[in-house]
Amino acid sequence: MIDKGIPESEVMRLLEETRERDYSYDRFFSTMCTLPHPIAVKAHDMFLETNLGDPGLFPGVADLEERVVAMLGELLGCPNACGYVSTGGTESNIQAIRAARNEAGIKDGNIVVPASAHFSFDKIGDLLSLEVRKAELDESLKVDISSVEGLLDEKTVALVGIAGSTEFGQVDPIEDLARMAGESGIHMHVDAAFGGFVLPFLKRKFKWDFSLPAVSSITIDPHKMGLSTIPAGGLLFRGAECLSALETETHYLTRARQASLTGTRSGAAAAATYAVMMHLGREGFQKMVDYCMDLTEHLVAGARKIGVEPVIEPVMNVVALSVPSPAKVREELMKLDWHVSMTREPNRALRLILMGHMSREKIDLFLADLETVLSKL
Ligand code: 0PR
């Protein structure tokens, strides 16, 4: 650290210079985050210094967090759900599995996840000393039920299904998984970090949330399709016993027990999530999802015109495009300031997420560049 501080204007100049090196959202096809809604930014600023780690000092924002949990629970078929606003999908997944493990009381257990699961589940295996068993996918990249069946045993503490997979936006057959979990008395967790704010608004209807009695917990992230600020994750449990399974005593704080993973945690993102959900309502999110699905159709139609096919017919606003040498294509696109990502083997492809910050015009420019890049391979 420097000995003597420098004037604010100079610090700001340094920040501005550095900020200019960041790329801008309107060139991003690679991210599941987006520009937060302006009302979320206002709310975030307003609650910047609040700490939900000691909620008795901030009963106002603690109340907002409860209201967010209630709204999310209602959206996902369980108005009485309990949970909290986490830092994102990783924390929510960790905590859901930790609750399941603690409830099962098995320390050397395993979890069964689809091979398409987000890498947070590998972190979970390491953190919680659980074996992570990966079930195979079928040809549409949903988890294969018979593969799951073969992996479950008496040491399985949780079965995971994905409602909106990171790479393909695919939805696992959650109804079948929930039936299996229910029959074996295993905690069923649904990772809807991305899909949670999409599926309720799609024309095509899936059975995947708390309306299935065996679903015990759900991850749903306001900082993805919920248009909130980072870090806003959502963790919901059907029953309060799961939350109790996470609690530790916090002797000297304003509340005697704490279920969250982090101690000090910002109330800003909870307030931002509350603000955007109240301001948009179902109607606003419906419009957003309709817009993103229109972009998805536009991209796929345009890709087909230049001879590029999607790996699967997109279910939501996540598209994997089959191209030769995807890593090379991605690199060339990056030189043109287009940011796309990639799916992993054995289905390597370009991965694009059509978020609200994208537009038809930008997609057309992107496709023209993609065509040029492909022609030079
Ligand atoms: N579950 C699913 C299904 C996810 O897609 C993700 C993240 C997570 C859990 C973990 O969520 P957090 O990152 O909030 O902990 N999916 C995105 C991904 O890995 C996250 C992301 C967002 C990555 C923006 C890059 C980026 O620019 O692609």
Side-chain angles (χ1 to χ4, degrees):
M1 200 193 295
I2 52 176
D3 282 338
K4 194 170 156 30
I6 56 176
E8 179 179 322
S9 57
E10 269 182 59
V11 177
M12 290 312 292
R13 192 183 49 76
L14 287 175
L15 290 180
E16 275 155 22
E17 254 174 47
T18 319
R19 185 73 173 108
E20 270 169 25
R21 299 202 337 247
D22 292 338
Y23 299 107
S24 84
Y25 267 96
D26 64 345
R27 312 290 293 188
F28 292 175
F29 287 102
S30 58
T31 173
M32 289 187 153
C33 295
T34 189
L35 292 166
H37 192 284
I39 200 169
V41 178
K42 277 190 197 157
H44 193 108
D45 281 349
M46 200 170 165
F47 286 84
L48 204 60
E49 76 283 13
T50 61
N51 174 14
L52 283 168
D54 202 359
L57 298 184
F58 303 100
V61 75
D63 185 38
L64 291 186
E65 181 181 39
E66 274 179 28
R67 290 192 225 170
V68 167
V69 168
M71 285 193 279
L72 291 176
E74 200 206 333
L75 183 68
L76 306 183
C78 183
N80 298 321
C82 47
Y84 72 94
V85 176
S86 71
T87 53
T90 300
E91 181 183 338
S92 295
N93 286 339
I94 292 171
Q95 290 282 81
I97 302 301
R98 192 176 142 228
R101 185 202 62 172
N102 291 356
E103 270 215 294
I106 301 173
K107 292 288 175 198
D108 59 341
N110 66 70
I111 56 172
V112 176
V113 308
S116 50
H118 183 258
F119 54 78
S120 49
F121 289 97
D122 295 324
K123 299 182 186 177
I124 288 168
D126 187 30
L127 277 167
L128 301 179
S129 296
L130 293 167
E131 182 197 344
V132 182
R133 298 185 175 171
K134 296 190 178 172
E136 287 166 24
L137 307 182
D138 65 17
E139 68 288 345
S140 62
L141 307 178
K142 293 182 210 148
V143 77
D144 184 300
I145 290 295
S146 57
S147 172
V148 171
E149 232 159 14
L151 293 174
L152 295 174
D153 63 20
E154 70 288 349
K155 293 266 174 126
T156 305
V157 300
L159 171 58
V160 175
I162 312 171
S165 65
T166 306
E167 289 155 291
F168 299 96
Q170 185 55 283
V171 181
D172 286 325
I174 309 285
E175 205 171 356
D176 296 336
L177 294 175
R179 191 176 4 86
M180 282 161 65
E183 281 166 11
S184 326
I186 296 172
H187 183 112
M188 171 81 209
H189 175 64
V190 179
D191 183 356
F194 184 77
F197 272 99
V198 182
L199 288 167
F201 306 104
L202 282 185
K203 284 192 192 81
R204 187 171 162 198
K205 294 296 169 207
F206 292 84
K207 271 197 136 308
W208 68 278
D209 61 10
F210 286 122
S211 61
L212 300 169
V215 170
S216 316
S217 54
I218 299 181
T219 289
I220 169 173
D221 279 356
H223 71 198
K224 296 189 169 75
M225 285 293 284
L227 304 181
S228 188
T229 52
I230 299 171
L235 170 61
L236 296 183
F237 292 110
R238 178 189 297 280
E241 64 286 353
C242 285
L243 216 48
S244 316
L246 291 172
E247 283 179 348
T248 49
E249 283 183 29
T250 48
H251 319 279
Y252 49 85
L253 300 187
T254 49
R255 277 201 202 149
R257 305 185 74 76
Q258 186 176 86
S260 56
L261 183 63
T262 59
T264 299
R265 59 193 182 97
S266 168
T273 305
Y274 175 78
V276 71
M277 288 185 80
M278 289 300 285
H279 185 57
L280 291 183
R282 281 179 189 264
E283 191 187 26
F285 283 103
Q286 182 68 59
K287 272 194 196 143
M288 170 56 55
V289 171
D290 286 348
Y291 177 74
C292 294
M293 290 311 290
D294 174 69
L295 293 181
T296 305
E297 281 162 29
H298 188 69
L299 174 79
V300 172
R304 285 195 161 120
K305 276 193 201 132
I306 59 168
V308 174
E309 285 293 320
V311 177
I312 59 163
E313 212 49 58
V315 175
M316 52 184 77
N317 47 330
V318 180
V319 181
L321 293 177
S322 283
V323 294
S325 319
K328 178 82 186 136
V329 172
R330 180 195 196 189
E331 204 182 301
E332 290 304 316
L333 287 169
M334 208 110 111
K335 288 183 194 156
L336 301 169
D337 193 19
W338 291 117
H339 304 269
V340 300
S341 96
M342 260 190 321
T343 57
R344 61 194 138 168
E345 294 294 359
N347 298 294
R348 263 263 193 265
L350 287 187
R351 164 183 176 249
L352 293 91
I353 299 124
L354 288 307
M355 299 296 290
H357 57 252
M358 217 6 101
S359 65
R360 277 178 164 239
E361 294 70 31
K362 282 273 152 56
I363 290 173
D364 292 341
L365 293 172
F366 168 80
L367 285 170
D369 282 344
L370 177 63
E371 188 174 23
T372 310
V373 167
L374 290 173
S375 72
K376 287 186 186 156
L377 278 184

